Amino acid sequence: MDMVNYLSLLGHEPLKVRNNDHWYLSPLREERTPSFKINRKLNRWYDHGLGKGGNLIDFGIQYHRCTVGELLDSLSSNFSLQQPIIHPDKVDDEPEHKIKVLGDFTLTSYPLLRYLEQRRIPIEIADKYCREVRYELNDKTYYGIGFKNDSGGFEIRNPYFKASSSPKDITTFKNGSNEAVVFEGFTDFLSFKAIHKNLPEEGQDFVVLNSVSFFERARPFMEEHQSIRLYLDRDVTGQTFSQRALSM
């Protein structure tokens, strides 16, 4: 399967092409200068910001945050070959700033519920923390799973697109606990709640960074607690911030 075509189906187009090298704004993180490369001849990718690369499977499990088996199931059911149901046009200069949230509702759309099912996140947990968001981008209307931050903005996800509405911020849940649990993204938080759904709600406080760049913004919240548990991604960036936290 051609990786350039696959990324196009996911809503990502190259900003420049030099011979066989196609350069993108990284689909795996936020950046303004393209440093994610696909060599179309080799059909392999490399993210210079993360220092990682590989084939389509390596990319898919990081992009969708799923297991190899889940990705292969999706590919075998033509998930990657379908015309995207929700597919905003590419916005090169300001990918997030032109998103306008039109409203938020209870999660009901089948593609979103199916996406949660593929991620092994129970609907009752998603309903508790997320909303179905209708948003406008380039004069077109789309929908996605919305996770609200402390400033009223939303992290927005669907099977083909991930973005944020302004303002960007962290999301905190205060339950009166002496322990804070820290996540990089809200799908990690939802997965944690699914795995530990029998734990008492007041047992822990939570902060979702919504971007690892907000780590310092979350520090005052973390420092209000006697103990802090980090559940950051086990990539170079996540390990760097974990080491920084341990050295405080």
Side-chain angles (χ1 to χ4, degrees):
M1 187 181 298
D2 181 76
M3 281 204 66
V4 171
N5 289 339
Y6 182 73
L7 260 70
S8 180
L9 288 172
L10 295 176
H12 304 284
E13 301 294 342
L15 296 190
K16 60 182 178 180
V17 178
R18 294 179 179 173
N19 298 320
N20 290 313
D21 292 334
H22 291 60
W23 291 87
Y24 300 77
L25 292 175
S26 175
L28 303 176
R29 56 191 173 82
E30 296 180 8
E31 65 173 356
R32 291 190 173 274
T33 302
S35 64
F36 181 96
K37 180 181 73 174
I38 292 177
N39 184 291
R40 200 165 196 176
K41 182 177 181 180
L42 300 176
N43 204 33
R44 296 181 71 86
W45 62 279
Y46 189 80
D47 190 317
H48 289 267
L50 292 179
K52 289 184 176 183
N55 57 25
L56 185 144
I57 299 298
D58 299 317
F59 171 79
I61 60 178
Q62 290 207 49
Y63 183 86
H64 298 292
R65 297 191 178 185
C66 62
T67 66
V68 174
E70 290 170 343
L71 181 67
L72 293 176
D73 286 342
S74 297
L75 294 176
S76 66
S77 62
N78 290 329
F79 169 79
S80 66
L81 300 177
Q82 296 170 357
Q83 182 68 25
I85 299 170
I86 315 157
H87 188 74
D89 294 335
K90 180 66 179 177
V91 183
D92 293 335
D93 296 326
E94 298 183 57
E96 296 177 356
H97 299 278
K98 295 186 179 180
I99 290 177
K100 178 182 178 182
V101 173
L102 304 176
D104 60 280
F105 317 91
T106 302
L107 288 162
T108 57
S109 297
Y110 176 77
L112 302 182
L113 298 179
R114 174 61 179 157
Y115 176 62
L116 291 167
E117 181 183 350
Q118 290 176 331
R119 299 298 302 268
R120 304 293 192 267
I121 297 172
I123 302 304
E124 61 270 19
I125 289 177
D127 274 337
K128 186 172 183 179
Y129 298 102
C130 301
R131 302 283 286 172
E132 182 167 318
V133 172
R134 294 290 194 277
Y135 61 97
E136 185 179 88
L137 179 64
N138 289 349
D139 298 321
K140 297 180 182 179
T141 302
Y142 306 95
Y143 60 101
I145 300 166
F147 181 75
K148 202 169 189 177
N149 64 44
D150 287 358
S151 294
F154 282 93
E155 296 297 308
I156 302 172
R157 298 289 184 274
N158 63 48
Y160 306 100
F161 184 68
K162 55 181 179 180
S164 307
S165 68
S166 297
K168 286 273 291 183
D169 201 354
I170 63 175
T171 304
T172 57
F173 298 97
K174 299 179 180 180
N175 300 310
S177 173
N178 290 324
E179 180 177 77
V181 185
V182 185
F183 299 95
E184 191 167 326
F186 78 86
T187 51
D188 295 333
F189 167 69
L190 296 179
S191 296
F192 178 90
K193 298 298 288 187
I195 294 170
H196 302 286
K197 58 185 176 182
N198 294 324
L199 288 178
E201 188 68 31
E202 68 277 5
Q204 296 165 313
D205 288 355
F206 299 93
V207 56
V208 181
L209 301 177
N210 295 319
S211 171
V212 74
S213 62
F214 287 157
F215 188 87
E216 289 301 320
R217 185 177 297 188
R219 184 192 291 224
F221 176 85
M222 291 188 281
E223 290 181 344
E224 292 174 358
H225 299 81
Q226 294 179 3
S227 62
I228 304 168
R229 294 184 181 272
L230 299 179
Y231 288 89
L232 305 182
D233 292 350
R234 293 195 60 79
D235 54 16
V236 173
T237 304
Q239 292 185 31
T240 298
F241 277 92
S242 295
Q243 289 301 316
R244 180 184 299 182
L246 289 169
S247 64
M248 287 181 181

